[in-house]
Amino acid sequence: MKKIALICLLIGGTLLSGSDYKEFVGLGYGQTKGTFKTSSLTAESGNEDTYSLRAGFVNDISRIYLNLDYLNADDSSGLDEKWYTLELNLEGKTSPYKLTKYLSTSFFVGGHVGLVKVDLDTSAPYPIYSDNKTDAIYGLQTGLLMELPSNFELEIGYKYSWSSLTFESIDLDLDRVKRYYIAVNYRF
């Protein structure tokens, strides 16, 4: 994990040193589905509401930012979860395409690496258990950015993540995470 963080910092520093970046902040909302595995079964959490806060740097061809996500899920599958995720995101994007005088759009693709903390309470069909764990999360994302008037930006995206988070005493692993989201960003 330390090597991955160091590589991301080096890449991020290199990206930021060579271009004219603007700062941005944003708020997001999404739907997250996590896949949990045991030795005998695989269960997916439902599409759970996820809220995010982001801040970083953007220019015409790339973005680098920190993303903080929160998810609170009480569902009938026997998994009650609270997730906290902090990720460093590095993305390349296409040059903006002008739709109208005031609107332009671009596509982005990139990767993220960070930490996920899951507070987990289980009931049947799982063993009754309550604990929290923190581990690495990493993955890919893609989406569409629409630049709006007055320095606002609308973002629609999809993230696919993998994790090595394990609750050893009940043989339960967070295997992968899928998220659709929408965010509004403000560029300074």
Side-chain angles (χ1 to χ4, degrees):
M1 181 64 193
K2 289 180 185 178
K3 289 180 184 179
I4 292 172
L6 180 61
I7 290 168
C8 287
L9 287 174
L10 289 173
I11 292 171
T14 303
L15 286 173
L16 286 175
S17 66
S19 296
D20 183 27
Y21 277 85
K22 295 180 180 179
E23 298 85 9
F24 78 94
V25 296
L27 297 171
Y29 168 79
Q31 294 284 305
T32 299
K33 182 179 284 194
T35 302
F36 289 88
K37 286 187 172 184
T38 69
S39 57
S40 60
L41 69 100
T42 298
E44 283 194 339
S45 62
N47 284 327
E48 306 297 344
D49 294 339
T50 306
Y51 305 94
S52 66
L53 178 64
R54 59 204 30 232
F57 302 94
V58 62
N59 70 7
D60 285 341
I61 61 168
S62 63
R63 297 193 309 169
I64 181 170
Y65 62 97
L66 285 175
N67 197 64
L68 178 64
D69 296 324
Y70 172 74
L71 175 149
N72 185 2
D74 271 338
D75 59 30
S76 59
S77 73
L79 295 172
D80 295 331
E81 322 143 41
K82 287 184 183 166
W83 299 24
Y84 308 90
T85 308
L86 179 64
E87 299 167 338
L88 174 65
N89 298 265
L90 301 170
E91 299 170 350
K93 60 183 204 165
T94 62
S95 296
Y97 175 76
K98 279 275 200 212
L99 296 174
T100 68
K101 182 178 178 180
Y102 301 106
L103 296 176
S104 64
T105 186
S106 59
F107 293 97
F108 67 89
V109 65
H112 57 272
V113 63
L115 294 173
V116 60
K117 176 184 178 190
V118 177
D119 295 335
L120 182 67
D121 292 311
T122 63
S123 57
Y126 304 99
I128 296 175
Y129 181 74
S130 181
D131 197 2
N132 65 61
K133 296 285 182 181
T134 303
D135 210 332
I137 190 165
Y138 53 93
L140 302 170
Q141 68 252 16
T142 188
L144 176 72
L145 294 167
M146 182 173 287
E147 294 179 17
L148 305 171
S150 303
N151 290 335
F152 282 97
E153 179 178 73
L154 179 66
E155 176 179 345
I156 300 169
Y158 176 75
K159 281 187 170 185
Y160 191 92
S161 305
W162 295 271
S163 176
S164 54
L165 187 122
T166 300
F167 293 90
E168 296 91 3
S169 59
I170 58 170
D171 185 32
L172 184 67
D173 300 332
L174 174 61
D175 184 42
R176 60 189 176 272
V177 180
K178 299 175 239 175
R179 177 177 300 143
Y180 294 97
Y181 68 92
I182 187 166
V184 176
N185 302 321
Y186 179 78
R187 296 180 311 274
F188 293 99

